[in-house]
């Protein structure tokens, strides 16, 4: 019988997941430091960005070693797995799959040797939109992909296909060929590299350590490892770090289009994006919601965790008291135990339980970050009414999500997005709320303190700043050998006994055998 894997999940309803975050990447160049542990703690700070797999590559100047596996950072690594990862240079990755199934083979960092013996390890946050073209180029060059099906492996293969050039020179040739969102950290035996797509869709920041440098997806990761924030890696920039210092080149002209959804949901509240604190942004969104969608109520509550700052802002602006409406169980893992019909209404109660004494007899404003399919909000409204709420008014700190993302967020398809087929009142009726209000696009943009011209809002307005190919040349499973159902790619749907055995054997092989 299949058993639960015991892994924690942030999903309130794992059967109806919300938007899956972009991945998290870390790079460290720090001679004399325990770079694998610094990378580990950096990934730990970025765990919210990827919860399917984790990995670290380390070089001591002579060889590069990769250790990776499926699971959370703290499950993949411990003292015994980190101890052999010695060197002066490391990169790390926490994965959510956006191209390629969530298998061990597609976990990162990737590693590949050139014909002259130089090892290149690479970690990628984002998603390419010209994967089909890159796959043709890889086939033309006769490069073996070894059964991998992610766009990240294509990048690594193309970098390693130029043995007559330095890695930096190869990168300057390959990076301009990439289309889509990419924040890359990669390395050879002696040098750390970092690159960001010309649009700068997702964040990548540079920090200074006492004895070196750090690169990470968010400033919160730099804070965690004691690195001083220096600046963002600029859109279209390639950074090289080695014993000679830090060097920078432009491989493309910058055309900034930062992801607006980072401010709403993806980034940690203690992170700064374009100089703006994310927590402050979310509180301001809540204030805007209160102005745009006022309501008479007795209590404002937030849906943990990302709805709480906006709920605080709503309460401050409206004068309605803020309170805790739910207790959240932080320790619930995914389960393979199927509830009987009589137990199906347990739903998100495994994660959240209402505080009845706070709720009973009150008119509630419930602030959440987004509505994707509507299943979670419908369950929350029902739960609150059962707890005695007399009115439930839902306020959402983002505009309706009507379009899928192709730049690194694993949204549902448009057919699955509730806002793709229903207007606001239709959605309100579907979830059973007394009223429903979304923050306006203008209000959300103002809260970021960024010009609208520098933001990607495609999931809200359908205007994709990076041109997309034909529908049959894009998608999560584009490189899969044959079509498979979504359930077969879900970590919750696999045979845990088979998968566990394979991933353990595979990671042992990487730790002990796949070195360069």
């Amino acid at each position: 019988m299949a058993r639960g894997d015991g892994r924690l999940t942030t999903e309130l309803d794992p059967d109806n997941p919300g938007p899956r975050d972009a991945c998290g990447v870390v790079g460290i160049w720090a001679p004399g430091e325990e770079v694998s542990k610094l990378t580990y703690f950096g990934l730990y700070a970025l765990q919210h960005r990827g919860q399917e797999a984790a990995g670290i590559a380390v070089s001591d100047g002579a060889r590069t070693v990769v250790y990776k596996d499926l699971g959370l950072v703290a499950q993949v690594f411990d003292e015994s797995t980190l101890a052999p990862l010695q060197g002066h240079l490391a990169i790390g990755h926490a994965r959510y799959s956006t191209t390629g199934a969530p298998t061990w083979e597609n976990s990162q960092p990737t590693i590949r040797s050139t014909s002259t013996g130089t090892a290149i390890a690479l970690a990628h946050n984002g998603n390419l939109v010209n994967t089909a073209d890159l796959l043709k180029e890889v086939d033309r060059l006769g490069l073996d992909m070894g059964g991998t099906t992610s766009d990240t492996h294509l990048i690594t293969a193309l970098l390693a296909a130029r043995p007559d050039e330095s890695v930096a020179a190869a990168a300057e040739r390959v990076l301009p060929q990439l289309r889509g969102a990419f924040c890359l950290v990669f390395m050879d035996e002696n040098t750390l590299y970092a690159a960001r797509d010309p649009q700068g869709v997702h964040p990548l920041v540079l920090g200074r350590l006492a004895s070196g440098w750090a690169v990470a997806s968010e400033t919160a990761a730099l804070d965690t490892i004691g690195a001083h924030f220096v600046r963002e890696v600029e859109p279209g920039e390639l950074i090289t770090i080695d014993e000679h210092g830090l060097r920078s080149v432009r491989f493309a002209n910058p055309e900034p289009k930062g992801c607006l959804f980072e401010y709403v949901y993806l980034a940690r509240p203690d992170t700064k994006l374009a100089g703006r604190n994310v927590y402050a942004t979310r509180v301001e969104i809540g204030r805007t919601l209160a102005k745009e969608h006022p309501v008479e109520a007795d209590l404002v509550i937030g849906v943990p965790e990302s709805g709480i700052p906006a709920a605080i802002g709503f309460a401050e602006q409206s004068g309605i008291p803020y309170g805790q409406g739910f207790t959240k169980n932080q320790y619930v893992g995914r389960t393979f135990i199927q509830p009987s019909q009589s137990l199906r209404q347990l739903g998100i109660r495994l994660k959240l339980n209402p505080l009845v004494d706070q709720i009973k007899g009150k008119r509630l404003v419930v602030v959440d970050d987004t509505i994707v399919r509507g299943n979670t909000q419908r369950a929350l409204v029902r739960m609150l009414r059962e707890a005695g709420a007399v009115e439930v008014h839902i306020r959402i700190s983002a505009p309706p999500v009507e379009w899928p993302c192709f730049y690194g967020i694993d949204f549902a398809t448009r057919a699955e997005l509730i806002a793709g087929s229903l207007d606001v009142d239709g959605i309100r009726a579907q979830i059973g709320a007394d009223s429903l209000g979304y923050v306006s696009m203008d209000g959300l943009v103002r809260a970021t303190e960024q010009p609208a011209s520098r933001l990607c809002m495609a999931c809200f307005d359908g205007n994709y700043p990076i041109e997309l190919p034909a529908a049959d040349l894009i998608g999560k499973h584009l490189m899969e050998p044959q079509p498979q159902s979504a359930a077969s790619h879900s970590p919750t749907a696999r045979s845990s006994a088979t998968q566990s055995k394979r991933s353990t054997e595979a990671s042992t092989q990487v730790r002990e055998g796949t070195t360069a």
Side-chain angles (χ1 to χ4, degrees):
M1 182 180 69
R3 299 173 57 197
D5 57 15
R7 294 175 184 161
L8 301 183
T9 172
T10 59
E11 302 290 355
L12 295 181
D13 184 358
D15 292 328
N16 293 285
R20 295 289 182 92
D21 302 9
C23 301
V25 297
V26 177
I28 305 287
W29 188 91
E33 298 285 346
E34 294 182 280
V35 293
S36 63
K37 288 188 176 180
L38 286 173
T39 304
Y40 167 85
F41 288 117
L43 291 178
Y44 200 88
L46 298 172
Q47 184 70 87
H48 60 288
R49 298 187 72 89
Q51 299 175 27
E52 290 178 353
I56 294 174
V58 175
S59 174
D60 60 4
R63 65 171 190 163
T64 299
V65 181
V66 173
Y67 187 93
K68 58 184 179 179
D69 206 346
L70 301 180
L72 303 179
V73 174
Q75 293 173 311
V76 173
F77 296 101
D78 55 24
E79 290 284 354
S80 65
T81 53
L82 289 171
L85 302 180
Q86 297 294 319
H88 68 288
L89 166 62
I91 62 172
H93 189 264
R95 185 178 193 239
Y96 260 139
S97 52
T98 50
T99 294
T103 61
W104 179 87
E105 290 81 3
N106 286 336
S107 58
Q108 301 178 36
T110 61
I111 186 168
R112 195 172 184 111
S113 294
T114 69
S115 60
T116 58
T118 298
I120 300 174
L122 183 144
H124 172 206
N125 168 29
N127 194 60
L128 302 182
V129 298
N130 66 330
T131 299
D133 291 337
L134 298 176
L135 186 58
K136 289 179 181 177
E137 176 66 7
V138 165
D139 288 343
R140 185 186 70 80
L141 295 171
L143 303 176
D144 180 11
M145 295 302 296
T148 61
T149 57
S150 78
D151 51 355
T152 308
H153 287 79
L154 294 176
I155 301 171
T156 313
L158 291 171
L159 287 173
R162 300 177 179 273
D164 54 330
E165 297 180 333
S166 67
V167 175
E172 288 185 50
R173 290 180 180 270
V174 171
L175 294 175
Q177 300 177 41
L178 309 182
R179 299 286 182 271
F182 57 92
C183 291
L184 306 177
V185 291
F186 54 108
M187 57 185 277
D188 56 26
E189 287 82 358
N190 295 294
T191 308
L192 173 66
Y193 305 89
R196 193 177 178 198
D197 60 86
Q199 288 72 30
V201 175
H202 296 295
L204 190 64
V205 292
L206 175 68
R208 196 74 164 95
L209 291 161
S211 60
W213 298 88
V215 181
S217 292
E218 296 186 25
T219 61
L222 298 182
D223 296 338
T224 298
I225 63 174
H228 171 69
F229 171 74
V230 175
R231 63 176 177 85
E232 293 189 4
V233 177
E234 294 295 325
E237 182 182 23
L238 168 65
I239 287 176
T240 301
I241 301 171
D242 59 18
E243 61 183 352
H244 302 297
L246 183 147
R247 301 176 298 285
S248 169
V249 298
R250 291 277 186 181
F251 64 86
N253 293 324
E255 302 173 14
K257 288 290 182 181
C259 174
L260 185 56
F261 206 70
E262 290 276 357
Y263 292 91
V264 174
Y265 178 82
L266 296 184
R268 272 176 49 154
D270 53 342
T271 278
K272 287 186 176 181
L273 298 173
R276 172 69 159 156
N277 177 261
V278 171
Y279 178 85
T281 300
R282 291 175 183 169
V283 171
E284 184 60 30
I285 294 169
R287 294 192 186 105
T288 303
L289 265 173
K291 296 173 187 175
E292 294 180 344
H293 299 284
V295 64
E296 291 187 7
D298 305 306
L299 187 69
V300 179
I301 63 176
V303 178
E305 298 291 333
S306 53
I308 290 176
I312 292 171
F314 192 104
E316 289 177 354
Q317 180 64 38
S318 67
I320 303 170
Y322 168 80
Q324 183 178 345
F326 299 100
T327 295
K328 185 176 182 180
N329 184 349
Q330 304 284 358
Y331 303 100
V332 174
R334 297 190 292 258
T335 178
F336 290 96
I337 299 173
Q338 298 300 312
S340 64
Q341 186 62 39
S342 62
L343 293 176
R344 289 192 190 280
Q345 290 190 357
L346 280 176
I348 64 173
R349 288 182 184 272
L350 290 171
K351 277 282 183 179
L352 294 181
N353 202 39
L355 294 170
V356 176
D357 291 343
Q358 280 275 88
I359 291 167
K360 189 173 182 180
K362 292 180 179 173
R363 300 168 297 173
L364 302 178
V365 177
V366 182
V367 182
D368 205 352
D369 52 74
T370 50
I371 300 178
V372 179
R373 296 175 180 86
N375 299 304
T376 298
Q377 286 75 21
R378 186 182 307 115
L380 288 174
V381 171
R382 182 174 62 244
M383 184 190 301
L384 292 169
R385 293 198 190 282
E386 290 172 354
V390 295
E391 294 178 11
V392 181
H393 303 275
I394 301 294
R395 297 294 180 266
I396 303 298
S397 60
V401 177
E402 299 187 46
W403 302 87
C405 175
F406 298 99
Y407 306 140
I409 308 172
D410 191 16
F411 270 127
T413 63
R414 187 158 198 240
E416 295 174 285
L417 295 170
I418 192 170
S421 58
L422 294 175
D423 62 12
V424 173
D425 194 59
I427 297 170
R428 180 206 59 75
Q430 280 278 344
I431 65 177
D434 291 285
S435 71
L436 171 63
Y438 291 86
V439 74
S440 67
M441 184 74 82
D442 288 344
L444 174 56
V445 171
R446 281 196 304 272
T448 70
E449 298 185 348
Q450 286 289 295
S453 61
R454 295 177 65 93
L455 293 168
C456 174
M457 301 176 276
C459 58
F460 303 122
D461 64 10
N463 294 319
Y464 295 92
I466 306 169
E467 186 178 356
L468 302 177
D472 61 340
L473 297 178
I474 197 168
K476 181 172 181 177
H477 304 300
L478 178 68
M479 293 174 60
E480 302 294 336
Q482 49 185 265
Q484 299 182 38
S485 68
S488 68
H489 293 306
S490 168
T492 62
R494 67 175 183 264
S495 168
S496 62
T498 302
Q499 184 68 31
S500 176
K501 181 176 185 293
R502 181 161 56 85
S503 63
T504 301
E505 291 173 348
S507 28
T508 301
Q509 180 185 12
V510 166
R511 182 182 59 196
E512 297 177 353
T514 309
T515 60

